[in-house]
Amino acid sequence: MILIKKNHEIEAMRLAGGVSSTVLHEVASFVRPGLSTLEIDKFGGDRIRYYGGKSAFLGYRDYPCNICISINEEVVHGLASERRVEFGDIVSLDVGVCFDGYIGDNATTVAVGGCKPEVQRLMEVTKQALNDGICQAVAGNKVIDISRSIQRTAEASGYSIVREFVGHGVGKKVHEDPQIPNFDDGGRHSPVLKPGMTLAIEPMVNLGQRQVEMLEDGWTVLTSDGLPSAHFEHTVLVTEGEPEILTCPENLPSEQRES
């Protein structure tokens, strides 16, 4: 069942999105060569608590970390460890925050001190695919309009879309209906978008082939060919007009802002 959020729920999700996006920006700025992913995860958890939130991921289906940290060929759901990031790596950071009962979910991919031009281009196109998908999150459109837009942007540049993992509704729970594929799945039962829907749109785009596999840890997803993958995500509100991105620092609760 797709939940239509009421006005007070939307406001709560703006606040959760403000905390989540602020933490994501801070973690992205914190990443540097030599840091272990355990150190990055701890920093993320500390910043979530600083703003009065809780990690939406820690303990969810027994996930053991505060945030998801995925390096290079790791697509999503990477686990914190003693592994240290190196100059030239790209790191995907996925931050979900529960604040006053509602969740903001967002992700970005950053280069550690710089990266190869073809990998930089991968990140740019993935971010553009997210933006293009968001533009389709308009009342009266269908979920498949988001999916097709993302796929068109990524594949036009020669990249491939991960199909096993998709975007989703979000609210009081991390995953709500509807699922939002990043590719055209035929759309036979694609829901119509209505004002009050809150969606986590999140393309995962590979430099090489689309196939992925799971590590033995049961969480970390990586590309089957070992080539890099990029991941960007926003929580978006469908309105009567233009879609609203809820995961932006401007939505941080006023009492939490530093002067």
Side-chain angles (χ1 to χ4, degrees):
M1 182 177 68
I2 299 174
L3 300 176
I4 303 298
K5 307 303 189 299
K6 299 177 181 178
N7 287 340
H8 73 277
E9 294 178 297
I10 292 170
E11 182 54 33
M13 291 199 65
R14 284 193 185 100
L15 298 179
V19 174
S20 183
S21 59
T22 299
V23 172
L24 180 64
H25 280 74
E26 291 180 347
V27 174
S29 297
F30 178 72
V31 173
R32 60 184 182 274
L35 284 178
S36 72
T37 54
L38 272 174
E39 291 173 306
I40 297 169
D41 182 71
K42 181 181 183 302
F43 178 82
D46 288 345
R47 297 311 292 171
I48 290 171
R49 289 185 289 274
Y50 172 83
Y51 291 111
K54 296 190 298 184
S55 168
F57 301 158
L58 181 63
Y60 180 69
R61 298 178 181 173
D62 295 325
Y63 188 75
C65 305
N66 294 293
I67 64 176
C68 301
I69 307 170
S70 308
I71 302 175
N72 296 332
E73 75 281 2
E74 296 174 350
V75 180
V76 285
H77 306 157
L79 300 182
S81 69
E82 297 292 348
R83 180 178 179 177
R84 297 187 180 277
V85 298
E86 300 178 358
F87 185 92
D89 286 341
I90 62 169
V91 182
S92 295
L93 304 163
D94 192 348
V95 173
V97 172
C98 182
F99 185 82
D100 284 349
Y102 288 86
I103 292 168
D105 190 4
N106 57 173
T108 191
T109 303
V110 297
V112 183
C115 63
K116 295 179 179 178
E118 59 267 29
V119 180
Q120 179 66 39
R121 177 64 177 159
L122 170 69
M123 292 191 293
E124 292 170 354
V125 170
T126 306
K127 189 173 184 179
Q128 184 61 53
L130 171 60
N131 292 336
D132 291 346
I134 290 171
C135 288
Q136 295 300 317
V138 176
N141 277 0
K142 293 186 175 182
V143 166
I144 196 169
D145 292 309
I146 298 173
S147 307
R148 287 170 173 160
S149 183
I150 290 171
Q151 182 177 21
R152 184 165 51 246
T153 298
E155 292 184 350
S157 293
Y159 305 128
S160 57
I161 293 285
V162 173
R163 300 192 176 202
E164 290 80 358
F165 298 88
V166 299
H168 50 89
V170 62
K172 286 187 174 181
K173 297 180 180 179
V174 175
H175 293 105
E176 296 181 350
D177 291 333
Q179 290 194 347
I180 308 170
N182 296 306
F183 62 97
D184 185 345
D185 64 350
R188 185 176 302 174
H189 303 293
S190 185
V192 175
L193 301 176
K194 299 178 181 179
M197 288 183 178
T198 47
L199 311 173
I201 302 173
E202 51 174 328
M204 290 147 271
V205 180
N206 296 347
L207 184 64
Q209 300 175 356
R210 70 172 182 83
Q211 286 78 12
V212 298
E213 56 191 56
M214 182 85 69
L215 287 184
E216 291 183 0
D217 62 24
W219 283 105
T220 307
V221 179
L222 68 162
T223 58
S224 295
D225 59 12
L227 294 177
S229 182
H231 177 210
F232 287 83
E233 177 183 21
H234 272 305
T235 297
V236 177
L237 170 69
V238 179
T239 74
E240 295 284 0
E242 295 297 315
E244 177 186 345
I245 295 174
L246 298 177
T247 41
C248 59
E250 290 78 8
N251 286 336
L252 186 70
S254 57
E255 64 273 15
Q256 303 283 11
R257 297 174 188 168
E258 297 178 356
S259 58

